Amino acid sequence: MSDTQLKGWNHLPDVPLKVSPFFTWPLNPVEMVKWVWNSWFLISEKLIIVGIAFASFYWFQPPLEASATFAPGWIAQIYVRNFLLALVVGGALHMWFYTFSAQGRKLKYDPRSLMVKGRQFTLGGQVRDNMFWTLGTGVAIWTAYEVVLFWALANGHMPMVTWAANPAWFVAIFFLIPIWESFYFYIIHRAIHIPFLYRHVHYLHHRNINVGPWSGMSQHPIEQMIFLGSVFVHLLVGAHPVHILFHMQYFFLTAMTTHTGFQGLVIKDRNRLALGTFHHQMHHRYFECNYGSLEIPWDKWFGTFHDGTIEANEKMQERRKRIMGK
């Protein structure tokens, strides 16, 4: 590691980190196409979750007409599906990266191991504690929101979007959900960093400085309710059941993948699937930076962007001193 690189990291991606070219002037159509292509194709988190959403809809989703009335049967079916999905995805990521250490420290950002013990964790250990909040209140809130929206859709309380009626809008919604996530996440994330909300709500998530897959949805129930509440935008813009499934699975499952602590999945010495982002990894270590994502450069516009360079780190330290009044 050279003197021009940030200290204390095992792996550093190419820096400075770049935000979406859709918000960089002058506009570069080639870069814009590359950004969308790399974000979605050929193999990506987004495309995999689209596949999971369709599989969930066709094979594990109660008929919409059954959702017209609240009944234990179909609600339990959705809960079990969500619980097993979270368990399988979170468990598989944890076993690959940490239990079996299948790629060692290749592409691992933080050189430290996850905490086996820690007094700051409710259940004494980081992984055990993270799993409790994720599989406990996290899955319950995820399920409750889906239940409410399927009930609303079945009873005509929100617009139904179908392929037959409007194929362009049907497809567009899949591409717009991650953009909405970037906008929504920045707003709520800055809000829960307000001192009162941080001390009573967001502190639980930030007990994870060195993150793992189970850290992403390890949040206070109030934060989980706010974070997953983004799905209620469909009450206004409409949705097909598969859009609701994708929206909830995208928010929940990518919280796991972006918190793996690794830049990607290495198989045969090649990064086969981009996962954790250094942009958010720095937020967990430095706190006062990178509240949003790279899709919409809110951090850049509001002066909280850390692009992974020494210069950005010095600016962040100066901003922190001003905030602390020193």
Side-chain angles (χ1 to χ4, degrees):
M1 183 178 293
S2 71
D3 292 337
T4 61
Q5 291 180 306
L6 292 176
K7 301 298 189 293
W9 297 99
N10 172 66
H11 168 73
L12 288 171
D14 293 334
V15 296
L17 300 178
K18 296 180 180 179
V19 299
S20 169
F22 287 85
F23 297 92
T24 302
W25 190 262
L27 295 177
N28 186 326
V30 174
E31 291 300 318
M32 293 162 71
V33 170
K34 285 182 180 178
W35 180 276
V36 174
W37 179 265
N38 292 333
S39 180
W40 279 90
F41 309 102
L42 293 169
I43 299 177
S44 68
E45 295 172 312
K46 295 182 179 74
L47 210 55
I48 290 171
I49 296 174
V50 168
I52 293 173
F54 274 96
S56 299
F57 174 69
Y58 284 112
W59 297 329
F60 305 106
Q61 178 69 16
L64 188 60
E65 55 269 22
S67 306
T69 56
F70 296 113
W74 69 271
I75 294 174
Q77 181 179 342
I78 290 176
Y79 175 80
V80 171
R81 180 193 66 206
N82 292 345
F83 184 91
L84 292 177
L85 186 55
L87 183 64
V88 168
V89 172
L93 291 170
H94 181 81
M95 286 191 291
W96 174 270
F97 289 114
Y98 296 97
T99 303
F100 302 130
S101 192
Q103 64 187 62
R105 298 204 306 171
K106 289 181 180 178
L107 302 188
K108 187 178 189 300
Y109 296 124
D110 198 306
R112 298 168 296 179
S113 301
L114 298 179
M115 296 184 68
V116 177
K117 296 181 180 180
R119 289 181 297 176
Q120 71 269 42
F121 296 108
T122 307
L123 301 181
Q126 183 176 4
V127 176
R128 190 185 311 118
D129 180 78
N130 288 177
M131 290 182 69
F132 170 78
W133 295 107
T134 300
L135 297 175
T137 55
V139 171
I141 293 167
W142 171 11
T143 301
Y145 284 1
E146 284 189 345
V147 166
V148 169
L149 287 173
F150 291 137
W151 171 85
L153 201 55
N155 286 281
H157 298 315
M158 59 183 288
M160 168 73 84
V161 178
T162 65
W163 169 264
N166 195 333
W169 182 234
F170 184 92
V171 172
I173 289 176
F174 289 105
F175 288 94
L176 291 173
I177 285 171
I179 297 173
W180 166 246
E181 184 269 349
S182 186
F183 170 78
Y184 181 86
F185 180 62
Y186 182 84
I187 299 300
I188 65 163
H189 199 182
R190 286 305 300 265
I192 57 179
H193 267 265
I194 293 171
F196 177 83
L197 290 175
Y198 185 90
R199 287 195 304 270
H200 296 283
V201 176
H202 195 44
Y203 78 94
L204 193 151
H205 182 64
H206 266 289
R207 295 188 300 195
N208 297 280
I209 297 174
N210 180 24
V211 297
W214 291 110
S215 304
M217 283 306 300
S218 180
Q219 304 168 4
H220 191 285
I222 293 176
E223 180 174 352
Q224 291 170 337
M225 292 174 67
I226 297 171
F227 177 65
L228 297 176
S230 74
V231 75
F232 289 111
V233 69
H234 292 290
L235 291 172
L236 299 176
V237 302
H240 184 277
V242 76
H243 294 133
I244 296 171
L245 291 169
F246 172 71
H247 194 132
M248 296 301 291
Q249 290 169 1
Y250 180 77
F251 268 60
F252 203 100
L253 300 182
T254 59
M256 292 178 166
T257 59
T258 57
H259 285 77
T260 57
F262 289 75
Q263 186 175 355
L265 185 70
V266 175
I267 300 175
K268 294 183 179 180
D269 293 323
R270 184 177 174 184
N271 185 359
R272 305 288 177 172
L273 180 64
L275 293 173
T277 62
F278 188 57
H279 179 264
H280 189 70
Q281 184 89 20
M282 286 190 289
H283 175 77
H284 274 269
R285 179 177 289 193
Y286 302 139
F287 293 91
E288 299 295 340
C289 67
N290 297 355
Y291 295 96
S293 68
L294 299 175
E295 294 285 347
I296 301 179
W298 292 105
D299 285 295
K300 209 164 187 180
W301 295 337
F302 288 100
T304 56
F305 184 53
H306 195 318
D307 63 6
T309 63
I310 291 289
E311 292 79 9
N313 204 59
E314 291 173 349
K315 290 180 181 178
M316 181 200 66
Q317 298 293 352
E318 291 173 3
R319 185 173 66 253
R320 181 180 293 174
K321 290 179 181 179
R322 290 197 301 270
I323 293 172
M324 300 296 292
K326 296 181 179 180

